Amino acid sequence: MPDIVQNPLSGLSDTLVERARQAQPLVARIEVEGRPARSGTFWRKDVVVAAEQAFARVEEAKVMLSDGSSFAAHLAGRDPGTNVVALKLDGTPDPAPFTDADPHPGALALAFGADEAGVSVRLGVIHSIGPAWYSRAGGRIDRRITLDMMMSGREEGGPVLDADGGLLGISALGPRRRVLVIPTATVEGVLEPLLNKGRIERGWLGLALQPVLVPEGMQAEAGQSRGLMIMGVAKDGPAAQAGALAGDILVTLHGEGVSRPAMVAQRLGPEAVGQPIELRLLRAGKVLSLTATVAARPSG
Amino acid sequence: MSAPSRLRIAVVASDAASRSRLAESIAGSGHEIVDLTAAPDAILTDCAVDSSTPAPVVAIGSVEGEIAGRLPPDATGEQIDAALRAVTAGLTVRGPSPTNRKFGPLAEEVWPVLTPREIEVLAALSDGLSNKAAARRLGISPHTVKFHIESLFKKLGAASRAEAVAKGLRRQIVEI
């Protein structure tokens, strides 16, 4: 028997310290005049990504990297849909390469933020993993990853690593301050268009919708028991121009039944902009078919 | 008891420029700016203040510590005046959360799905209409309105019209 048995807690603790040390070069501190400093993730040479909702109406910022170097940065593009903002810097070194992570519920996750003295660290488990989901602003997020931890607004947008040091993505604060992860693949997917065009265009119909039961007498004709009631129509929006009215019940979009808002969001990705789309509606006991031309979602 | 119209305010700022900005922001409210040691009624600051301060604090922007009044950096002179009076009266003041957090998933079916008629009746209830007035608006009998209200109560788990409206308002309408 050895005299000293390694204390497993010390072992865990040492590993966490080591992970924090490895993660530090990925963490960027973003300063905007008159606001508290925010966190970002040093994604690649000359590019830092952060949480879009933390940078409303911001154009210029100062970014500090973990080696103490400081850069002027401008906000090259923002996407409220995925809560990603891309900051362009000039003359940074290459960041340390990171490996992808494969998330599992219950696995440990570490979220990092920028702090006065370096990095701040949060530890928690991956609370749940789900399929792709759609945000209120129409963004498609490749996987739903929620973390069991608390987080302040200053830390949002920093990197989230798994126990092996793989990059799960960047943190985002959702409703009730739930901590979500915007997966690495989602960030990669929006980054080029953000750097080149400044935004991601997504389809928009100009409708306010609420799930509703299709009246019993109409269910056979509609082919489904649920639909989406039109609660409002944006003036001069695509749906308004096609003739949709508040009170209509949307049952199919492009021939496919829609009973949940996500089913509509799914049909309104960037590729839908400018395309015609067929809306089948229930109005005054009759089925009605309209064709709208999908527009780009107005920003803001 | 009515609050004195003129308060004694100590201004604690990180530098001279922000000190004059803070002083300016309350100049229109007619308060007297006094020294921290001169028994102020309240303290206005934009930086960390000693926790043993002699009076309640109103902080502009993000300031650490237990602070009676917190206001966003773009607070107006009226808001600062109102916050100073409130903390002097022993109240706690919080401005709207500094970032307008909008990010989150599309609302999915967290609630039982209503029928179109139930949605219309709920809208009438939230406008404060009586059963009779709702019936007139919707062109149905008051008896039918009552029937839909009972169904709404059951679906939303509400015991009163006010509760049904409150719960119904939380149903998210998705803009797409």
Side-chain angles (χ1 to χ4, degrees), chain A residues 136 206-207 209 213 226 260, chain B residues 104 106 109 114 171 174 176:
Chain A
R136 286 201 277 275
L207 288 174
L209 300 170
L213 287 175
R226 290 177 181 199
R260 289 182 294 118
Chain B
L106 274 182
E109 291 168 72
L114 305 182
R171 299 171 63 86
V174 171
I176 242 161

Side-chain angles (χ1 to χ4, degrees), chain A residues 89-172:
Chain A
L89 292 68
D90 192 16
T92 74
D94 285 311
F98 47 76
T99 53
D100 278 350
D102 188 19
H104 299 282
L108 289 181
L110 289 149
F112 300 91
D115 193 64
E116 298 280 348
V119 288
S120 62
V121 188
R122 301 271 184 183
L123 172 68
V125 297
I126 295 179
H127 175 258
S128 65
I129 306 262
W133 57 280
Y134 291 87
S135 71
R136 286 201 277 275
R140 181 183 191 276
I141 290 95
D142 296 270
R143 287 180 105 169
R144 184 176 50 74
I145 306 173
T146 59
L147 302 181
D148 180 26
M149 64 174 67
M150 307 230 299
M151 184 173 281
S152 77
R154 295 175 184 214
E155 295 159 278
E156 184 185 17
V160 181
L161 303 190
D162 70 2
D164 293 324
L167 183 68
L168 289 163
I170 66 172
S171 59

